[in-house]
């Protein structure tokens, strides 16, 4: 069983920064990709960013490109999302996820962490 535990959310003002973390644990864990998604109230869940575990290659949604940075620590099985220049429209529950076979299929999901950005 693989568990993903996200942390680091909170209440900040527009323009501030936050860093989310997601630690993976389990008997065996071999991810192909780890990513972050978010879901705002009344909206569908949307992709934010992903990192290919073996290469470190990253991909971002246009809405966060240039403001957010995803990174990983292989030794700690942890993925991070550094969020800068936060906007009220970034307010959402952020979920980390891991896929074992491709960047388009995620097998495991974290519990979500709330990020609220006030104007």
């Amino acid at each position: 069983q693989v568990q993903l535990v996200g942390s680091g959310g909170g209440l900040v003002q527009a323009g501030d920064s936050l860093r989310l973390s997601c630690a993976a644990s389990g008997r065996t864990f071999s991810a192909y990709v780890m990513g972050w998604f978010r879901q705002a109230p009344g909206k569908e869940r949307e992709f934010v960013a992903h990192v290919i575990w073996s290469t470190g290659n990253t991909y971002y949604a246009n809405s966060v490109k240039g403001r957010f940075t995803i990174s990983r620590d292989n030794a700690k099985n942890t993925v991070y999302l550094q969020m800068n220049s936060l906007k009220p429209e970034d307010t959402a529950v952020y979920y980390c996820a891991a896929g074992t076979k491709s960047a388009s299929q995620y097998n495991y999901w974290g519990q979500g962490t709330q990020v609220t950005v006030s104007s």
Side-chain angles (χ1 to χ4, degrees):
Q1 185 73 13
V2 174
Q3 284 189 318
L4 302 179
V5 180
S7 61
L11 172 63
V12 297
Q13 293 186 331
D16 286 351
S17 299
L18 274 177
R19 190 177 82 154
L20 306 183
S21 301
C22 177
S25 63
R27 291 182 61 186
T28 57
F29 178 71
S30 179
Y32 175 82
V33 62
M34 288 193 73
W36 289 95
F37 293 76
R38 66 186 182 186
Q39 187 167 21
K43 295 187 177 181
E44 293 188 354
R45 185 174 62 195
E46 64 175 0
F47 168 82
V48 175
H50 78 224
V51 58
I52 303 300
W53 203 249
S54 60
T55 64
N57 289 346
T58 58
Y59 185 77
Y60 298 91
N62 287 335
S63 58
V64 306
K65 198 174 296 183
R67 299 187 297 122
F68 290 11
T69 302
I70 188 171
S71 61
R72 91 272 195 234
D73 185 328
N74 298 56
K76 295 182 179 180
N77 278 346
T78 298
V79 64
Y80 304 97
L81 186 68
Q82 178 66 43
M83 305 185 293
N84 298 329
S85 302
L86 282 161
K87 304 175 181 180
E89 51 263 44
D90 294 318
T91 295
V93 177
Y94 283 70
Y95 298 90
C96 64
T100 56
K101 295 184 178 180
S102 75
S104 59
Q105 184 178 8
Y106 289 84
N107 311 85
Y108 305 102
W109 292 85
Q111 83 283 9
T113 184
Q114 177 71 46
V115 172
T116 304
V117 184
S118 64
S119 57

